[in-house]
């Protein structure tokens, strides 16, 4: 976990002299634009009131500025929520395969049962699929069920069945 506080690069036990930035809480592009437009509106609105009271008439260029900033805020927010967010979700899902819908995630027990069925299928699937399923299942036995003997027995069966398989060359440490 990265250090989130300030750092002292000069002397031991002295005050920090180099601030650090925590990038985990960086603002989004939408938040930055809303902040900029909101700050401009926060300055232009009271300026319109003060100048109009001082001049005793409405300053139409300032009204135009306030309304333009308000319109820009609305346009940008609408554009972001209707175009940018759906497009970014689409591209992200295209590259990552998308998020699993709620309630459709499989448990480790379901995955174990599925891999065992795949290994015991008759007729067996392609050797490459059997080997990858067997390696994954052996890792489940070793890491989740803490049964190293069962994992080694499975790898042994795979080595008997497919002695020349390149996938099995890296399964057992030498």
């Amino acid at each position: 976990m990265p250090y989130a506080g300030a750092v002292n690069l000069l002397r031991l036990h002295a005050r920090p002299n180099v601030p650090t930035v925590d990038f985990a809480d960086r603002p989004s592009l939408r938040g930055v634009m809303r902040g900029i437009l909101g700050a401009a509106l926060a300055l232009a609105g009271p300026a319109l009131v003060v100048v109009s009271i001082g001049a005793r008439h409405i300053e139409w260029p300032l009204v135009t500025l306030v309304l333009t900033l308000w319109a820009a805020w609305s346009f940008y927010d609408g554009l972001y929520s209707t175009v940018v967010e759906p497009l970014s979700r689409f591209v992200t899902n295209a590259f990552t395969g998308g998020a699993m819908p709620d309630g459709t995630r499989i448990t480790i027990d379901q995955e174990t049962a599925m891999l065992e069925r795949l290994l015991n299928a008759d007729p067996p699937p392609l050797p490459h699929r059997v080997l990858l399923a067997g390696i994954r299942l052996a890792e489940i036995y070793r890491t989740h069920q803490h049964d190293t003997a069962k994992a080694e027995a499975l790898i042994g069966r795979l080595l008997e069945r497919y002695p020349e398989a390149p996938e099995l060359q890296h399964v057992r440490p030498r």
Side-chain angles (χ1 to χ4, degrees):
M1 188 166 167
Y3 185 78
V7 179
N8 180 10
L9 296 178
L10 298 179
R11 291 170 294 176
L12 196 60
H13 304 298
R15 285 184 38 194
N17 57 12
V18 178
T20 58
V21 178
D22 185 12
F23 289 101
D25 293 333
R26 65 177 185 250
S28 66
L29 177 63
R30 185 181 200 174
V32 170
M33 289 301 292
R34 292 176 90 180
I36 291 170
L37 292 172
L41 269 170
L43 292 173
L48 170 64
V49 172
V50 169
V51 170
S52 294
I53 289 173
R56 295 186 180 204
H57 68 308
I58 297 176
E59 290 293 327
W60 292 108
L62 279 176
V63 171
T64 304
L65 175 65
V66 168
L67 292 177
T68 301
L69 288 171
W70 189 7
W73 172 298
S74 299
F75 172 77
Y76 180 76
D77 197 46
L79 178 72
Y80 194 85
S81 63
T82 59
V83 176
V84 175
E85 279 182 343
L87 183 63
S88 68
R89 250 191 327 270
F90 173 77
V91 171
T92 300
N93 290 340
F95 283 120
T96 64
M100 300 266 309
D102 289 336
T104 60
R105 298 175 196 264
I106 63 171
T107 64
I108 196 72
D109 295 328
Q110 291 170 331
E111 183 177 3
T112 303
M114 182 213 38
L115 291 171
E116 288 171 343
R117 277 194 311 272
L118 182 73
L119 288 177
N120 298 326
D122 189 34
L126 296 172
H128 179 71
R129 289 192 65 206
V130 171
L131 289 166
L132 292 179
I135 292 168
R136 172 69 179 137
L137 188 57
E139 284 302 305
I140 290 173
Y141 289 158
R142 187 176 294 118
T143 58
H144 292 281
Q145 296 180 3
H146 305 290
D147 193 351
T148 307
K150 195 173 182 181
E152 288 299 320
L154 176 59
I155 295 298
R157 284 196 314 271
L158 289 173
L159 281 169
E160 287 176 13
R161 201 166 159 188
Y162 305 102
E164 301 296 321
E167 294 90 347
L168 296 175
Q169 292 176 2
H170 306 287
V171 173
R172 284 193 173 145
R174 299 200 191 282

